[in-house]
Amino acid sequence: MLDDGAQPPVGALYRKVAADLRESIAAGEYGSGGKLPAESALAERYGVSRGTIRQALSALRADGLVTSRRGTRRVVLGTTRVQSFAELVSFTNWARSLGEEPGGRVELLERRPADAEECEQLRLDDGADVVLVLRVRTLSGRPVMVERSVYPVWVGELLTGIPADAVSHTEPLQEQGVVFADADHTIDLVLADEEDARLLGCRAGEPLLRERRRSTDPVGAPLEWSEDRYLPGTVAFTVHNSIGRSALSRRHRSAP
């Protein structure tokens, strides 16, 4: 049942239900391959309509946590924390949405000359400087990811006054007028190096899930080039595709 007190807005109800179910799935309450209760049972448990339950289940489906068949009890696909690329969300906000306590610790912040790839990704002239920030990110106190972010100097210098143990860098940057509007992501595997092993407590050579990300502002100017390396089993990523957004479908719609 949802907490007593003032009833939240209708649009927020399904989010509260989805957040509670996410927490239960992450805790292993249903197990991988187990079934959630029927929609009617969930509606009774939370004191909401079946339509609200369907919206909550749709959110879980978009996150890759449950199957998508309507009219049957949804099957739990896994308990790994899932991050969706359907919207641009910071690590901090993503962790909080799962009921986790995010954390961060800066290991290195330095200004140095950009290498060739950094110049290309950030559209900088050869020989330009960048600011590198190396951080360990944690979920509920456990190290799960090493974040290596490179910024143009004007952005990086805004980070120098932020405490080394600040939970979020995105939020204080936004407060100073830096708007992360879009991002391109590349996902692959990489072997942990000695620095990864030291910071994450894993073995050198162990496979890590790598996300490389270039973030841009509302007019497309690059703000960040980042490489995040996650321990196996700590996160999974989902991507939603639609034929309605493809060039092929646009050509079909415009054809006589």
Side-chain angles (χ1 to χ4, degrees):
M1 183 77 177
L2 295 177
D3 294 339
D4 294 334
Q7 188 79 337
V10 173
L13 278 173
Y14 85 89
R15 294 188 181 93
K16 291 193 67 174
V17 173
D20 189 75
L21 288 172
R22 271 194 205 95
E23 187 172 344
S24 297
I25 290 171
E29 182 175 329
Y30 303 104
S32 183
K35 291 185 177 182
L36 293 179
E39 289 181 1
S40 58
L42 289 172
E44 182 176 356
R45 175 194 297 183
Y46 291 106
V48 298
S49 69
R50 291 184 65 170
T52 297
I53 294 298
R54 291 191 189 105
Q55 285 183 289
L57 294 175
S58 292
L60 297 181
R61 177 190 60 77
D63 286 346
L65 292 177
V66 299
T67 54
S68 60
R69 291 180 61 191
R70 182 174 294 182
T72 62
R73 291 170 61 189
R74 307 300 177 96
V75 175
V76 176
L77 297 176
T79 58
T80 299
R81 303 169 185 89
V82 176
Q83 184 172 356
S84 173
F85 289 147
E87 54 183 334
L88 187 59
V89 178
S90 69
F91 177 92
T92 298
N93 288 335
W94 165 72
R96 287 172 176 162
S97 74
L98 298 178
E100 297 275 4
E101 182 61 35
R105 181 179 74 251
V106 173
E107 297 288 329
L108 176 68
L109 191 157
E110 68 174 6
R111 177 169 174 166
R112 60 162 175 75
D115 63 26
E117 182 178 34
E118 291 162 355
C119 286
E120 179 182 357
Q121 294 294 337
L122 296 176
R123 299 181 196 163
L124 300 174
D125 295 332
D126 291 343
D129 280 358
V130 291
V131 173
L132 166 68
V133 180
L134 170 64
R135 281 203 295 172
V136 176
R137 306 308 304 272
T138 62
L139 290 177
S140 300
R142 180 193 174 196
V144 297
M145 184 258 280
V146 174
E147 180 182 80
R148 297 175 175 88
S149 298
V150 179
Y151 301 93
V153 169
W154 74 271
V155 177
E157 288 183 340
L158 298 176
L159 295 170
T160 58
I162 299 174
D165 60 352
V167 173
S168 174
H169 281 183
T170 302
E171 292 173 359
L173 285 175
Q174 289 176 333
E175 291 171 359
Q176 298 180 80
V178 180
V179 179
F180 295 89
D182 297 280
D184 295 315
H185 307 265
T186 302
I187 309 297
D188 61 6
L189 289 177
V190 66
L191 300 182
D193 60 23
E194 295 291 342
E195 185 172 60
D196 297 326
R198 175 177 61 83
L199 296 174
L200 293 175
C202 63
R203 298 187 306 275
E206 181 177 340
L208 301 176
L209 182 64
R210 178 172 67 172
E211 177 209 355
R212 285 177 289 176
R213 178 182 64 258
R214 185 177 73 162
S215 303
T216 56
D217 68 9
V219 297
L223 298 173
E224 173 198 37
W225 170 241
S226 185
E227 180 177 309
D228 302 343
R229 299 186 177 193
Y230 291 85
L231 283 172
T234 58
V235 67
F237 297 104
T238 64
V239 179
H240 173 73
N241 293 312
S242 171
I243 192 172
R245 298 180 182 179
S246 71
L248 180 61
S249 68
R250 288 195 294 272
R251 286 199 297 271
H252 281 313
R253 286 197 298 269
S254 62

